[in-house]
Amino acid sequence: MGRERIKLKKIEKVRARHVTSSKRRKGLIKKAKEVSVLCDADVGLITFSATGRLFEYSTSSMKMILKKYSETFTGILNIEADIEDLGRIKEEMQNNHRTLRHMDGEDLQELTMQELQEMEQKLEVGLHRIRSTKTKLRRRMLIDFTWS
């Protein structure tokens, strides 16, 4: 026969609350040990009683575990830098998208004469590379064709 399920609410009797707290804390520490052994995990457990008394359990140095935690937590909370990076990346993407539209011949009215000349030069260099690669590919195909 199983145990009766208890409703989770504050235990009114002070003595009963302290006894339950002690038993539950021991059970919690037992579970922490099990997790540590079964999963090869570093476990740190800190509890404060209703009277403010500190109870702690750690599989290794509590300082080391807290240091790991703070480093990880700080990395997670470093959102401001991430938001700045996202803003910068978004701006770069918009600039690249605008440049691609310009190279496709769209929205050229917003460019100055110098920007148009620079773009023309870049396109000529790119066109030269494309034609050069195309010529090399044709030569390879011609050589392969004559050998077979």
Side-chain angles (χ1 to χ4, degrees):
M1 192 183 244
R3 293 185 189 171
E4 186 179 327
R5 190 164 183 92
I6 351 174
K7 291 182 182 177
L8 289 180
K9 64 177 183 171
K10 183 178 177 180
I11 300 171
E12 296 302 323
K13 295 180 182 176
V14 178
R15 179 90 176 126
R17 188 168 51 236
H18 287 301
V19 169
T20 302
S21 174
S22 176
K23 288 180 180 180
R24 294 274 177 141
R25 184 174 46 255
K26 288 177 184 175
L28 193 55
I29 291 171
K30 182 179 176 185
K31 288 293 181 187
K33 287 178 184 177
E34 290 174 6
V35 167
S36 171
V37 171
L38 294 173
C39 303
D40 192 29
D42 282 339
V43 176
L45 175 68
I46 300 172
T47 58
F48 288 94
S49 70
T51 59
R53 189 165 170 211
L54 168 69
F55 297 94
E56 68 176 73
Y57 167 77
S58 62
T59 54
S60 59
S61 163
M62 183 61 85
K63 284 184 181 182
M64 186 185 77
I65 291 174
L66 289 173
K67 182 180 177 189
K68 270 189 200 178
Y69 173 77
S70 91
E71 287 171 357
T72 303
F73 196 65
T74 304
I76 291 171
L77 289 181
N78 201 359
I79 293 173
E80 291 177 8
D82 292 343
I83 289 173
E84 276 184 31
D85 287 345
L86 286 174
R88 183 184 47 77
I89 291 170
K90 184 178 179 183
E91 190 176 321
E92 283 180 27
M93 285 180 60
Q94 289 172 343
N95 289 339
N96 290 340
H97 186 68
R98 189 178 315 110
T99 302
L100 283 172
R101 281 198 328 270
H102 291 160
M103 289 193 170
D104 283 342
E106 300 173 12
D107 302 330
L108 297 176
Q109 301 83 357
E110 61 188 47
L111 297 178
T112 65
M113 182 59 98
Q114 182 179 354
E115 291 171 330
L116 286 169
Q117 287 173 340
E118 288 172 3
M119 185 177 298
E120 183 181 25
Q121 188 177 14
K122 287 178 184 176
L123 287 170
E124 285 175 357
V125 169
L127 186 59
H128 176 71
R129 288 182 187 152
I130 290 169
R131 287 182 176 153
S132 173
T133 304
K134 186 177 164 186
T135 304
K136 289 176 186 174
L137 188 61
R138 278 188 182 156
R139 286 182 185 154
R140 276 193 222 135
M141 287 174 53
L142 184 61
I143 292 171
D144 290 345
F145 180 73
T146 55
W147 281 96
S148 49

